[in-house]
Amino acid sequence: MKIVKKTWIAVLAVATAVVAACTATKRTPETTEAAEPQPADNDNVGVNDEIVQPKDSISARRAEMQARLESLRATIKDREMSCVYGTPEVMKEYSARTRAMRQEADSLQNELLKMLESEKNTLQDRLDSIDETVKNRSGAKVYGPPEMINSYNNNNKKLRENRDSLQHEIEKIDNEILNINNSSKQ
């Protein structure tokens, strides 16, 4: 009788653990990011002041993709230079794996290029907006107390500095795109 009670308790305990495991919600990084609102950050890259994704997150993702792409290209290059011995099935498997790696590398490269183009377009839109503002403010006559005139001049200076910074960022992105395209041809 005691063995039956212990067995029954053990069965109930296992069943409870299985039910708990099946119904528990896990918080994976994807659900955590979706569930928890991200704090506003002044360094966000956005369109019309909407938060798209923090700039650091985009840079980290881009660096991760670039590292993976370089790793795949190095592996593919090593595989192309190596001699493979074995049965036809082994050689076929090796070739299939190399083709899959090439496809993954091409896919990563395309995704990376799209990401860079998107970022470049966003920066270019911001640059065009600043250029338009600077153009409209360039010939304006400002009247008022010296503090107001100084503030106006300081704002113009900041706009020009932002414009120069954006132009530099766009040039860096253009160089990255060029490097990615050149490295794929090698």
Side-chain angles (χ1 to χ4, degrees):
M1 188 72 163
K2 286 186 177 184
I3 295 175
V4 172
K5 281 185 178 180
K6 288 182 180 180
T7 305
W8 181 246
I9 290 172
V11 168
L12 287 176
V14 169
T16 304
V18 169
V19 169
C22 290
T23 59
T25 58
K26 287 186 175 180
R27 290 187 61 112
T28 62
E30 294 83 26
T31 59
T32 302
E33 289 175 4
E36 297 174 2
Q38 296 294 323
D41 188 336
N42 290 338
D43 290 335
N44 289 338
V45 176
V47 179
N48 298 331
D49 295 327
E50 293 178 14
I51 297 174
V52 175
Q53 199 172 23
K55 188 175 183 177
D56 293 339
S57 175
I58 292 172
S59 297
R61 173 80 173 126
R62 193 169 69 205
E64 178 184 311
M65 289 172 63
Q66 184 68 34
R68 175 70 178 145
L69 181 60
E70 289 172 8
S71 171
L72 279 171
R73 285 183 177 155
T75 303
I76 291 168
K77 187 175 181 179
D78 289 345
R79 290 176 76 91
E80 289 173 343
M81 299 302 235
S82 63
C83 294
V84 180
Y85 299 103
T87 64
E89 293 83 20
V90 169
M91 296 181 77
K92 195 176 203 180
E93 166 65 30
Y94 189 84
S95 295
R97 180 66 185 134
T98 304
R99 271 193 309 278
M101 291 173 113
R102 272 195 207 105
Q103 288 174 346
E104 183 181 355
D106 290 344
S107 174
L108 269 174
Q109 178 180 339
N110 290 337
E111 188 176 343
L112 191 58
L113 288 172
K114 284 179 187 177
M115 184 183 287
L116 288 169
E117 285 293 334
S118 173
E119 187 174 346
K120 178 183 172 185
N121 290 339
T122 301
L123 293 174
Q124 188 63 49
D125 289 344
R126 288 172 55 192
L127 180 65
D128 292 344
S129 174
I130 290 174
D131 279 343
E132 185 67 28
T133 303
V134 167
K135 179 181 169 189
N136 290 337
R137 295 181 87 164
S138 66
K141 298 260 187 211
V142 180
Y143 300 101
E147 297 84 23
M148 189 170 126
I149 295 171
N150 286 338
S151 173
Y152 185 83
N153 289 336
N154 288 338
N155 286 340
N156 284 345
K157 181 180 176 184
K158 286 179 186 176
L159 282 171
R160 286 192 287 287
E161 289 171 356
N162 286 342
R163 180 182 59 196
D164 294 342
S165 174
L166 286 172
Q167 285 174 334
H168 180 69
E169 287 294 317
I170 290 172
E171 289 171 3
K172 281 175 39 180
I173 290 174
D174 283 338
N175 287 336
E176 284 184 55
I177 291 171
L178 186 63
N179 288 339
I180 290 170
N181 286 329
N182 286 341
S183 64
S184 69
K185 293 176 184 177
Q186 293 176 353

